[in-house]
């Protein structure tokens, strides 16, 4: 989508943060699943890597991620059914399984988000934190950037202070989000851009995730996307190949 630097004049401005977020969520409500081919360019503490990945997601929190070789054969595969995850690393000849936590998902997709947050990410939905408690969303109008800005305090005990979202007033696409810690430092920043309509849903073709504490800056470019595909049974399950040792992780 094209992001303008002026607010639309053909509709009233939002004045209620809860209403804005409700309309934003309704924008992607019809998106139930997605198959995408990604080109990933990542800087991590271990260096830079560029790979192609096949990503299959299904609401609420089911994932299937396959890293591809230059010949498009799978090198590593991670799946999660929302509660349990499994990862086969062909290079290391190891099979990992355990709970579907952000740390475990990040073993292949280094974004340190929960399964449902990763699913939402590819639909252009940021991690929402505590935004959907009634009255929690504080709405500001940033006329310099021509964007809405919404701030939400974190639920108690979550380890961060608040989430900040910047939203395109014309399309209601989230353009950027940041998670702030209690000391004011940035936990993560996510940027969404190059939006395109897929079966009537505006999805981002570029997603950038930055987390300085994890030493990660990753850009995911969506090359191809198919929305609302019905996946085969077992898509989000994975068994250890014969002869490969299983490592149980927490």
């Amino acid at each position: 989508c094209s992001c303008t630097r002026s607010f639309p004049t053909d509709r009233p401005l939002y004045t209620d943060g809860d209403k804005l977020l409700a309309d934003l969520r309704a924008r992607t409500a019809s998106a139930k699943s997605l198959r995408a081919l990604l080109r990933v360019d990542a800087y991590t503490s271990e260096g830079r890597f560029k790979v192609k990945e096949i990503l299959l997601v299904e609401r609420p929190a089911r994932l299937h991620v396959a890293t591809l070789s230059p010949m498009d054969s799978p090198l590593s595969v991670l799946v999660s059914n929302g509660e349990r995850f499994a990862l086969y690393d062909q290079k290391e000849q190891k099979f990992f399984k355990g709970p579907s936590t952000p740390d475990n998902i990040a073993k292949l997709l280094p974004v340190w988000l929960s399964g449902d947050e990763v699913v939402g990410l590819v639909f252009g939905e940021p991690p929402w934190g505590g935004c959907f408690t009634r009255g929690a969303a504080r709405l500001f109008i940033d006329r310099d950037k021509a964007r809405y800005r919404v701030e939400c305090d974190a639920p108690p005990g979550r380890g961060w202070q608040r989430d900040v979202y910047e939203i395109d007033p014309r399309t209601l696409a989230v353009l950027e989000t940041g998670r702030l810690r209690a000391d004011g430092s940035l936990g993560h920043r996510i940027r969404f851009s190059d939006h395109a309509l897929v079966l009537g849903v505006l999805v981002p073709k570029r997603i950038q995730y930055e987390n300085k504490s994890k030493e990660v800056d990753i850009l995911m470019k969506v090359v191809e996307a198919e929305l609302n595909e019905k996946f085969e049974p077992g898509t989000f399950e994975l068994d250890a190949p014969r002869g490969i040792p299983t490592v149980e992780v927490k």
Side-chain angles (χ1 to χ4, degrees):
C1 68
S2 175
C3 299
T4 67
R5 295 188 63 83
S6 62
F7 277 85
T9 58
D10 58 345
R11 72 199 76 168
L13 295 179
Y14 281 89
T15 58
D16 184 319
D18 291 334
K19 171 62 174 170
L20 172 59
L21 293 187
D23 288 352
L24 192 156
R25 293 186 84 189
R27 184 181 61 85
T28 55
S30 64
K32 306 300 183 185
S33 67
L34 182 134
R35 176 194 294 270
L37 172 63
L38 306 179
R39 294 192 183 275
V40 178
D41 187 355
Y43 292 87
T44 74
S45 59
E46 299 178 358
R48 183 183 185 183
F49 65 87
K50 293 184 177 182
V51 295
K52 286 193 297 183
E53 291 186 338
I54 296 291
L55 175 65
L56 284 63
V57 303
E58 185 176 77
R59 293 192 194 271
R62 289 179 284 275
L63 308 170
H64 181 122
V65 187
T67 299
L68 303 179
S69 73
M71 302 300 292
D72 289 343
S73 60
L75 294 175
S76 300
V77 179
L78 180 148
V79 301
S80 170
N81 62 10
E83 297 180 358
R84 301 283 296 175
F85 105 110
L87 167 63
Y88 173 50
D89 186 327
Q90 186 182 70
K91 181 179 179 181
E92 297 294 330
Q93 288 290 284
K94 289 183 178 179
F95 183 83
F96 302 87
K97 66 178 183 179
S100 184
T101 65
D103 281 340
N104 285 337
I105 291 171
K107 292 181 186 298
L108 188 61
L109 191 66
V111 292
W112 279 273
L113 300 172
S114 62
D116 63 306
E117 289 172 337
V118 174
V119 171
L121 203 68
V122 297
F123 296 133
E125 302 171 3
W128 287 118
C131 276
F132 294 106
T133 300
R134 180 68 187 170
R138 299 185 298 276
L139 174 62
F140 304 88
I141 294 176
D142 188 334
R143 294 192 180 275
D144 290 335
K145 290 185 175 181
R147 297 177 179 181
Y148 291 115
R149 189 175 81 254
V150 174
E151 298 184 1
C152 302
D153 292 333
R158 291 296 182 93
W160 72 91
Q161 186 176 45
R162 70 180 182 275
D163 289 293
V164 180
Y165 309 92
E166 296 186 5
I167 299 167
D168 188 320
R170 296 180 179 273
T171 64
L172 297 190
V174 177
L175 303 177
E176 184 172 327
T177 180
R179 177 159 285 175
L180 302 179
R181 300 190 184 94
D183 63 3
S185 64
L186 185 66
H188 68 225
R189 177 185 285 119
I190 304 170
R191 295 185 176 97
F192 303 93
S193 58
D194 291 359
H195 291 78
L197 282 172
V198 180
L199 293 181
V201 177
L202 197 65
V203 298
K205 291 299 185 76
R206 290 170 60 97
I207 303 168
Q208 183 178 10
Y209 172 93
E210 179 185 359
N211 189 323
K212 289 186 177 180
S213 68
K214 301 294 187 181
E215 299 183 75
V216 166
D217 189 345
I218 179 172
L219 175 63
M220 295 172 279
K221 298 180 181 179
V222 179
V223 179
E224 300 172 4
E226 298 179 28
L227 201 65
N228 291 340
E229 179 178 344
K230 290 189 179 298
F231 299 121
E232 294 292 327
T235 296
F236 305 103
E237 304 289 341
L238 187 65
D239 295 323
R242 181 174 296 180
I244 300 299
T246 295
V247 180
E248 193 76 42
V249 295
K250 295 181 178 179

